[in-house]
């Protein structure tokens, strides 16, 4: 079974530029998550989708971050404009459905460096 | 707000030693607790998932326990090997303000097993 795919793996941009990340979840997984992991910290949930609807985006900085999951499969996360503090690894995860019983499977992440 | 703490932050042990990693959380109203492994530059791999009604889970040389009432979990690794070197993350789902699938992570324990 193919795992969660993310691209690009690495991205370097200057502050105030925009950037987009792509995630393809495991086939058949209805729930998709985006996490931000700053160096030395644990991942922090940014947004959770159930199919193409948003379940939780309470920690998403909506003035600069946006995410969508068209057709309930692939998802993109965008940052515009980027700030230095956005430097982090952005992890995508998916699970079969929402709920505590369903294990989350993580992709390799995209490492973003903002200079 | 749920807070997860992991002690120690870093640990170095000689090969073959048994070791214990600790995790504590402030809100005991959780749905489950997961232990993950993260290798440098890679995503997270789920090791063990303990439902709130369970006391422990075992997988190979790994054993995780959960004391929900006291807000504690331990990950026991038997007969450690150099290949166990990684960062180990604890995460809980739920809590008063969280959804069943929303994970709150600790900052991790960086483990190095030496020859």
């Amino acid at each position: 079974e193919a795992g969660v795919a993310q691209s690009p793996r690495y991205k370097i941009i200057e502050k105030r530029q925009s950037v987009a990340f792509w995630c393809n979840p495991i086939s058949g997984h209805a729930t998709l998550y985006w996490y931000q992991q700053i160096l030395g910290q644990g991942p922090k949930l940014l947004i959770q989708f159930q199919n193409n609807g948003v379940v939780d985006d309470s920690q998403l900085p909506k003035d600069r971050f946006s995410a969508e999951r068209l057709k309930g499969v692939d998802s993109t996360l965008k940052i515009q404009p980027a700030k230095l503090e956005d430097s982090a690894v952005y992890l995508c995860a998916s699970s079969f459905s929402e709920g505590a019983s369903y294990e989350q499977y993580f992709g390799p992440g995209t490492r973003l460096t903002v200079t | 707000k749920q807070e997860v703490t992991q002690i120690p932050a870093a640990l170095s042990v000689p090969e073959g030693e048994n070791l214990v990693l600790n995790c504590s959380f402030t809100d005991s109203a959780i749905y489950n607790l997961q232990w993950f492994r993260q290798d440098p530059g890679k995503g997270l791999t789920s090791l063990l998932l303990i439902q709130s009604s369970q006391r422990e889970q075992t997988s190979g040389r790994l054993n995780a326990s959960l004391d929900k009432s006291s807000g504690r979990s331990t990950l026991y690794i038997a007969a450690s090997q150099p290949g166990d070197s990684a960062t180990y993350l604890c995460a809980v789902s739920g809590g008063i303000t969280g959804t069943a699938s929303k994970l709150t992570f600790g900052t991790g324990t960086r483990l190095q097993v030496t020859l």
Side-chain angles (χ1 to χ4, degrees), chain B residues 1 25 51 81 91:
Chain B
K1 177 186 172 186
F25 45 95
Q51 301 289 354
Q81 303 171 357

Side-chain angles (χ1 to χ4, degrees), chain B residues 5-18:
Chain B
T5 303
Q6 291 187 246
I7 295 173
L11 182 63
S12 181
V13 301
E15 182 181 12
E17 192 163 296
N18 302 326

